[in-house]
Amino acid sequence: SRFETCWPALMKDSHGVIIIFNPDLPSHLKEIEMWYSCFVQQQPLLDNQCLLVAHHKPGSAGDTENLSLAYPLNKLKLIHSNLEDDPEDVRMEFMKYFRSIITFINESREREEMSIIS
């Protein structure tokens, strides 16, 4: 991708990664493996710092039940978004995710401070 030169700047000091994809496009299912590898595994971030969002376009018969992702993507938190049906659900999931990232950052900071003190 022509933006690959920017990736290190994007990744620097990041605490979380949200990968949004269209589950109706087979090419996206291959691409999210590459995004996960570059932005999560190589950083390295923990899997719970990553959120997958399967975004269903309006009018697409989004099959939310049978989207089975291969390992290691199947270990990640996956939410389905369809802004026609349930924008509130998606908002709540994002809030939960952001809260978990903030908790993670605070705990990491406390561990660092304790290691400096001791």
Side-chain angles (χ1 to χ4, degrees):
S1 145
R2 58 197 165 138
F3 295 116
E4 278 181 47
T5 50
C6 308
W7 287 2
L10 286 173
M11 291 192 261
K12 185 175 165 19
D13 299 330
S14 65
H15 295 289
V17 173
I18 298 174
I19 299 173
I20 301 173
F21 65 100
N22 180 344
D24 301 321
L25 292 180
S27 62
H28 274 206
L29 298 177
K30 286 308 301 168
E31 279 174 34
I32 56 176
E33 289 179 20
M34 184 265 299
W35 292 112
Y36 172 76
S37 168
C38 293
F39 280 84
V40 181
Q41 289 179 311
Q42 288 174 31
Q43 286 232 66
L45 293 179
L46 300 173
D47 284 339
N48 61 7
Q49 290 171 272
C50 181
L51 177 66
L52 285 181
V53 181
H55 184 65
H56 300 270
K57 290 193 167 157
S60 72
D63 185 357
T64 58
E65 299 305 310
N66 293 319
L67 177 62
S68 57
L69 297 172
Y71 181 87
L73 298 172
N74 60 4
K75 300 182 303 176
L76 304 176
K77 170 85 174 152
L78 168 70
I79 66 171
H80 290 270
S81 77
N82 178 338
L83 301 182
E84 271 184 330
D85 292 352
D86 227 337
E88 192 52 32
D89 257 21
V90 176
R91 203 175 72 84
M92 293 300 295
E93 290 290 352
F94 269 104
M95 293 308 290
K96 269 197 285 196
Y97 170 71
F98 287 126
R99 271 200 293 270
S100 74
I101 294 294
I102 290 166
T103 303
F104 177 82
I105 293 169
N106 289 338
E107 286 170 357
S108 303
R109 196 168 289 147
E110 280 169 21
R111 274 196 302 274
E112 264 173 42
E113 286 167 2
M114 291 308 291
S115 69
I116 292 167
I117 292 167
S118 52

